[in-house]
Amino acid sequence: MAALTSSDIESYKQNGCICLRNVFSSDWIEKIKIGIQKNKENPGVYSENLRGSEGSGKYFNDYCNWRSISEFEEFALYSPAAEIVGELLETKKVGFYHEHVLTKDQDTYKVTPWHMDQSYYPIDGEKVGIF
């Protein structure tokens, strides 16, 4: 696992986002892949499977399944994610809101719409991290 640097933290503070590579072990990545597959096989009440008029692929969207999919719960509670967010936000306490799975299959020609969640999410403040 790659450690965060002071440069990473400064970049996040300056830009409001950062691309972090190799911060999760292959075990955590595999666990999330299994969870996503379980989610796609048994979607939750908020799920969407969208297809365009062309192509064989689809866009999958679902959230709030971390308590029913053990891999998501383990990732949220035991992976380095909270520690990484805490370091980036320079805080000792981190709260978890929910997971959100978004996948887009190869050969999906459905356009992914750009949108802003801020207007309807009950979260506000300067220190919010998203993985």
Side-chain angles (χ1 to χ4, degrees):
M1 182 178 111
L4 294 182
T5 65
S6 58
S7 176
D8 290 334
I9 295 166
E10 285 306 312
S11 179
Y12 180 78
K13 283 168 46 176
Q14 182 176 11
N15 300 310
C17 64
I18 188 169
C19 178
L20 299 171
R21 298 188 188 282
N22 301 314
V23 294
F24 296 105
S25 70
S26 58
D27 291 340
W28 283 117
I29 299 299
E30 192 57 35
K31 188 174 290 284
I32 285 297
K33 285 181 180 179
I34 292 167
I36 291 171
Q37 189 58 41
K38 284 182 179 180
N39 194 189
K40 290 174 92 169
E41 291 169 2
N42 292 299
V45 296
Y46 303 114
S47 70
E48 294 180 296
N49 276 298
L50 306 173
R51 287 190 191 273
S53 58
E54 297 178 32
S56 60
K58 63 185 174 190
Y59 166 82
F60 177 78
N61 168 35
D62 201 3
Y63 57 97
C64 293
N65 295 296
W66 69 279
R67 291 185 187 221
S68 62
I69 298 175
S70 61
E71 291 80 5
F72 292 170
E73 182 174 22
E74 290 174 35
F75 187 87
L77 300 178
Y78 305 114
S79 81
E83 182 181 344
I84 292 167
V85 170
E87 285 183 49
L88 286 173
L89 300 179
E90 297 179 310
T91 185
K92 293 180 182 178
K93 195 170 189 177
V94 173
F96 174 72
Y97 185 62
H98 72 76
E99 99 298 336
H100 194 150
V101 173
L102 303 160
T103 66
K104 193 170 186 177
D105 297 339
Q106 183 177 358
D107 295 325
T108 302
Y109 297 107
K110 174 91 177 144
V111 174
T112 305
W114 177 253
H115 67 281
M116 175 75 81
D117 293 330
Q118 186 176 7
S119 63
Y120 55 85
Y121 262 47
I123 298 172
D124 194 13
E126 296 293 318
K127 295 194 174 195
V128 176
I130 299 172
F131 268 97

